[in-house]
Amino acid sequence: MGFPYDKLDWSVVDGAMFMGAGSTLTFFYTLIAIIICIAFLLYGQMIESDKYDKVTK
Amino acid sequence: MEEKIAELTAQIAQLEASSQVTNTMFAEAYYYLTIPLMILIHAGFLAYEMGATRMKNVLSSGVKNILAFAFVIPAFYFVGWWVYWAFPTGINFAAGPMGISGWEYASGIAWGWGESAQYMGPNIADNASGVFWGAFALFAATTASIMSGSVIERIQTVGFVILAIVLGAFAWVVAAAWGWHADGWLVTQFGMHDFGAAGVVHAVAGFFALGVLINLGPRIGKFNADGSANDLSGHNLPFTATGLMLIIVGFWGFLMACMILPGEGWSWTANTGTTIYGTPMNLSALSFNILMGICGGVIGAWLLNRDPFWMMSGALAGIISVASGLDVYFPALALIVAIGAGLLLRPAARMLEAFGIDDAVGAVTVHGTIGVYGMVVFGVFATGYPALFIENAPTVSILGQLVGAIVCSLCGFVPGYLLSLGLGGLGMLRTPEAAEIAGLDPTKVPAQAYPEGIPASAQPAE
């Protein structure tokens, strides 16, 4: 987090300026996002299976 | 030799002039095209709202929405545009440090009479005022549409139009002047950053709707004697879901209109796109983060609720949740923030219901609650970013974003509550009980939505 340039001034910005630019944060953001997507899919599958089970019983 | 140099100099001057004309025409066309894109927001709200009503109120809901658009645009022309330029430094109407605000400046460019009228009508030497005004007028109409859905099936038409005019031509414009303008005091003193208007459009409109809903009361049959809520389902969920998708399409126009193009007299820089605060950005940033926002919102909403209405609302909430920082979010982070918004959606709507508020389409939650969430979350992740393109600029902070979110919410809630209270006192707010029970279409609309009826569909799952 924080401004990714040494000087707190937009005039020095000449490239990537997003949150976490130039740090390992981008890796962690990406990893967390992927884990959430997979976890949600698994949970979603569980819920949907319960609904199918109710109909088939 | 001198002749050759003079000839080359003339050619360079001609090329520069030609290049400037191209840039000016591109800038004009860019903002012009955001207007029809934003009209899609209204097409979407129209479908969304009509689908969310019961069959007896379909057309009256549509009439109300169409009229809001028709009255808010001229009201914004008459008053709103002036308010935006006059109010940034506060109610003292003083000129701000950038010299583009205050009573004198606003009166010189935004009134439809006197010298300033030259900027408020066709003028071959002015390729900017009309398209900027048009884009802002559509932002204004969007606020009215946001409020429109929440009050369906029991509000009087004229009372609603008065509320829409005050919201679209004054309430949100004050918030925009304070927090969405380079001279705005929320920006210069608190470092507020709200690129895509999560606070100045969505939170204002959402909380304005809440103020109105408190005085308007719930629809007949919404709540039981014990306080539990009934689901008054709309008559056409596919229509509503399609409407939401149209709103999302329109938001691409809304958000691209928030970017300031380079190379013009009114631009911040010669060669870089900027936000309204002058901080650098480009359309690629929007492309990354809007798409991630949409997807995150849908995913989050889907986890807690399989209802396509809330999933599509999640898409909208996803965009709103990252709107403040679309220019600087990292896409994976935008996805995470938007998933949070999707998760928040349904519990927040249920909480509102527990307080006896009948928000027919979840507008208070999607726009108000998520607008505030987006503003504050941005403060958490963007702390330390300079808020303006100037030396020693104030920086973004959690406190600054929180103050901004509270001010925006009050800019909506206070006028919404007071005006609806006054309209209620005058008998111009709520429809008579008999008309509500019979339906507003048979009471006042000289047309029939479905003359041949609609067959019933399958029963819903648990």
Side-chain angles (χ1 to χ4, degrees):
Chain A
M1 287 193 282
F3 194 53
Y5 289 82
D6 292 336
K7 194 178 171 195
L8 271 180
D9 190 337
W10 284 106
S11 63
V12 302
V13 174
D14 59 359
M17 58 187 201
F18 48 78
M19 299 168 193
S23 74
T24 52
L25 276 174
T26 53
F27 169 75
F28 286 109
Y29 291 148
T30 306
L31 185 67
I32 292 166
I34 291 170
I35 290 170
I36 291 174
C37 287
I38 293 170
F40 279 31
L41 268 180
L42 293 174
Y43 183 74
Q45 172 62 21
M46 204 170 72
I47 300 287
E48 198 156 311
S49 292
D50 284 349
K51 292 196 183 295
Y52 294 145
D53 287 346
K54 277 184 188 168
V55 175
T56 49
K57 272 178 190 169
Chain B
M1 184 67 178
E2 280 180 9
E3 271 181 23
K4 195 73 180 169
I5 290 172
E7 193 183 328
L8 282 171
T9 306
Q11 282 178 354
I12 289 169
Q14 200 176 7
L15 275 173
E16 280 178 348
S18 168
S19 159
Q20 188 57 52
V21 168
T22 305
N23 196 73
T24 300
M25 293 298 293
F26 171 75
E28 187 179 29
Y30 177 94
Y31 291 110
Y32 183 79
L33 291 174
T34 65
I35 296 170
L37 272 173
M38 281 195 272
I39 288 176
L40 280 180
I41 294 176
H42 298 278
F45 271 118
L46 186 66
Y48 168 61
E49 200 176 304
M50 289 169 84
T53 57
R54 288 164 291 176
M55 279 179 68
K56 61 182 181 178
N57 300 316
V58 176
L59 294 179
S60 62
S61 290
V63 166
K64 174 172 70 59
N65 191 299
I66 294 163
L67 269 182
F69 186 88
F71 276 98
V72 167
I73 301 285
F76 187 80
Y77 178 88
F78 300 140
V79 182
W81 195 223
W82 182 87
V83 171
Y84 179 69
W85 295 106
F87 274 68
T89 55
I91 51 175
N92 58 1
F93 303 110
M98 298 289 172
I100 49 171
S101 58
W103 185 287
E104 198 177 335
Y105 182 82
S107 301
I109 63 161
W111 285 137
W113 59 80
E115 283 295 305
S116 80
Q118 65 181 304
Y119 301 110
M120 293 301 285
N123 178 341
I124 197 68
D126 180 3
N127 297 61
S129 297
V131 289
F132 277 144
W133 170 81
F136 265 78
L138 265 292
F139 296 149
T142 299
T143 62
S145 268
I146 290 169
M147 187 256 298
S148 178
S150 65
V151 297
I152 52 174
E153 302 194 309
R154 78 282 206 194
I155 198 164
Q156 289 191 31
T157 307
V158 174
F160 166 77
V161 169
I162 292 170
L163 288 163
I165 287 171
V166 171
L167 171 58
F170 185 73
W172 92 273
V173 198
V174 171
W178 290 349
W180 213 35
H181 187 294
D183 278 339
W185 65 269
L186 283 170
V187 182
T188 56
Q189 292 179 37
F190 289 92
M192 174 174 157
H193 185 95
D194 188 20
F195 164 77
V200 302
V201 166
H202 297 284
V204 173
F207 282 94
F208 188 100
L210 178 61
V212 175
L213 288 170
I214 290 170
N215 290 312
L216 182 65
R219 290 167 289 178
I220 294 170
K222 175 65 186 176
F223 293 106
N224 302 311
D226 63 359
S228 57
N230 297 310
D231 179 25
L232 301 183
S233 297
H235 83 289
N236 194 332
L237 185 53
F239 201 38
T240 295
T242 307
L244 276 161
M245 189 57 95
L246 276 175
I247 294 170
I248 287 161
V249 174
F251 262 90
W252 288 84
F254 181 107
L255 293 164
M256 73 184 272
C258 298
M259 180 167 134
I260 307 295
L261 295 183
E264 294 299 303
W266 39 260
S267 303
W268 281 87
T269 68
N271 51 17
T272 314
T274 67
T275 65
I276 214 158
Y277 311 106
T279 58
M281 69 159 297
N282 54 29
L283 290 178
S284 281
L286 294 188
S287 182
F288 276 126
N289 289 328
I290 297 174
L291 285 171
M292 288 300 224
I294 292 170
C295 298
V298 172
I299 291 169
W302 173 71
L303 190 77
L304 296 185
N305 194 298
R306 308 304 157 99
D307 183 339
F309 171 81
W310 285 105
M311 286 167 61
M312 286 307 302
S313 294
L316 196 52
I319 298 176
I320 295 166
S321 70
V322 293
S324 291
L326 284 168
D327 50 330
V328 287
Y329 267 119
F330 183 63
L333 178 59
L335 186 79
I336 295 166
V337 170
I339 287 173
L343 286 171
L344 194 60
L345 214 50
R346 198 65 186 104
R350 285 217 174 94
M351 198 170 82
L352 203 64
E353 230 170 48
F355 283 106
I357 303 291
D358 177 15
D359 177 2
V361 295
V364 177
T365 303
V366 173
H367 299 273
T369 309
I370 302 300
V372 168
Y373 164 83
M375 286 273 293
V376 177
V377 168
F378 178 75
V380 172
F381 290 105
T383 291
Y385 271 67
L388 280 166
F389 190 71
I390 55 171
E391 279 192 39
N392 302 317
T395 53
V396 173
S397 66
I398 298 173
L399 177 69
Q401 291 299 107
L402 188 62
V403 169
I406 292 169
V407 170
C408 288
S409 303
L410 290 174
C411 277
F413 182 79
V414 173
Y417 180 81
L418 293 178
L419 184 60
S420 58
L421 188 67
L423 288 167
L426 293 171
M428 293 176 68
L429 189 63
R430 179 99 191 198
T431 52
E433 187 177 336
E436 190 178 334
I437 291 169
L440 302 182
D441 284 9
T443 302
K444 60 182 181 182
V445 183
Q448 205 176 346
Y450 303 104
E452 295 171 345
I454 301 179
S457 58
Q459 289 298 306
E462 276 181 48

